[in-house]
Amino acid sequence: SQTIHQWPATLVQPVGSPLSLECTVEGTSNPNLYWYRQAAGRGLQLLFYSVGIGQISSEVPQNLSASRPQDRQFILSSKKLLLSDSGFYLCAWLEGSYNSPLHFGNGTRLTVT
Amino acid sequence: DAKTTQPPSMDCAEGRAANLPCNHSTISGNEYVYWYRQIHSQGPQYIIHGLKNNETNEMASLIITEDRKSSTLILPHATLRDTAVYYCIVPRWDKIIFGKGTRLHILP
């Protein structure tokens, strides 16, 4: 069966520090991968999505970037965190075919201080 | 994504059926309707999806109108654990956008 791993579960980082969040999927190949962010009390904002290795579509670039170095690995990064980067970061995947639902990881709760 | 419209909030008594509406009047002929829910502090959970026929699984039923411009998610016997935000989505290609959804309150 397919599973998605996202870590860490919680993170507290100072302003200006770098960020690296990792997401991996098991049990499937060539999935579509997604990063979402949810600020406190707000809706889900699509940040990046990828339909294949090295293919990244950016929705809200700001000071964040994403990379997909391997088929089932998706990394969200920042060189310098802002206070406004605090939030709940969710990775999700779906089978790379039409008519397939999204499956979410458990998320990373990031607090920038 | 095709635009969807949902009421911001709804109440339902525990044990009764919860009927959550969604309008998607710009849906195209081959686009599916998906429903997800997000319980507080968790990632969204897939519930059900459909194209034109009504669908049922262990969690819910999905009723899609004949013109496909609206749908209703039915939770047959709501419990307190069904308190969540429910999202209706019509994905267009690979980009999947979540709207604000409906906050469902189950009343004891």
Side-chain angles (χ1 to χ4, degrees), chain A residues 32 34 36 38 42-44 46 49 51 59 88 90 94 98-106 109, chain B residues 30-32 34 36 38 41-46 49 87 91 93-100 103:
Chain A
N32 284 11
Y34 299 79
Y36 290 87
Q38 190 169 37
R42 307 290 295 274
L44 284 160
L46 177 62
Y49 65 97
V51 300
E59 291 299 300
F88 190 37
L90 288 154
L94 59 79
Y98 201 57
N99 183 23
S100 179
L102 266 177
H103 302 278
F104 283 83
N106 291 329
R109 196 161 298 281
Chain B
N30 62 346
E31 290 177 329
Y32 285 75
Y34 287 79
Y36 296 84
Q38 186 176 23
S41 296
Q42 298 181 23
Q45 174 191 26
Y46 163 74
H49 71 285
Y87 299 97
W93 305 114
D94 300 307
K95 185 167 133 177
I96 302 176
I97 305 291
F98 283 74
K100 295 182 179 180
R103 186 171 296 276

Side-chain angles (χ1 to χ4, degrees), chain A residues 60-107:
Chain A
V60 187
Q62 295 180 351
N63 67 321
L64 299 172
S65 63
S67 62
R68 184 171 177 173
Q70 299 180 44
D71 182 43
R72 291 168 289 173
Q73 184 185 29
F74 206 22
I75 298 172
L76 181 70
S77 303
S78 173
K79 292 182 179 178
K80 288 186 179 181
L81 284 169
L82 306 172
L83 284 174
S84 58
D85 291 323
S86 293
F88 190 37
Y89 287 80
L90 288 154
C91 180
W93 72 275
L94 59 79
E95 288 187 11
S97 62
Y98 201 57
N99 183 23
S100 179
L102 266 177
H103 302 278
F104 283 83
N106 291 329

Side-chain angles (χ1 to χ4, degrees), chain B residues 18-39:
Chain B
N19 296 278
L20 294 96
C22 179
N23 287 322
H24 32 78
S25 58
T26 61
I27 194 170
S28 297
N30 62 346
E31 290 177 329
Y32 285 75
V33 181
Y34 287 79
W35 284 82
Y36 296 84
R37 74 178 182 185
Q38 186 176 23
I39 296 171

Side-chain angles (χ1 to χ4, degrees), chain B residues 51-68:
Chain B
L51 181 62
K52 48 179 84 170
N53 297 322
N54 299 336
E55 302 287 345
T56 295
N57 62 21
E58 64 279 3
M59 290 182 67
S61 294
L62 175 60
I63 308 298
I64 302 174
T65 58
E66 192 169 343
D67 64 8
R68 304 211 322 121

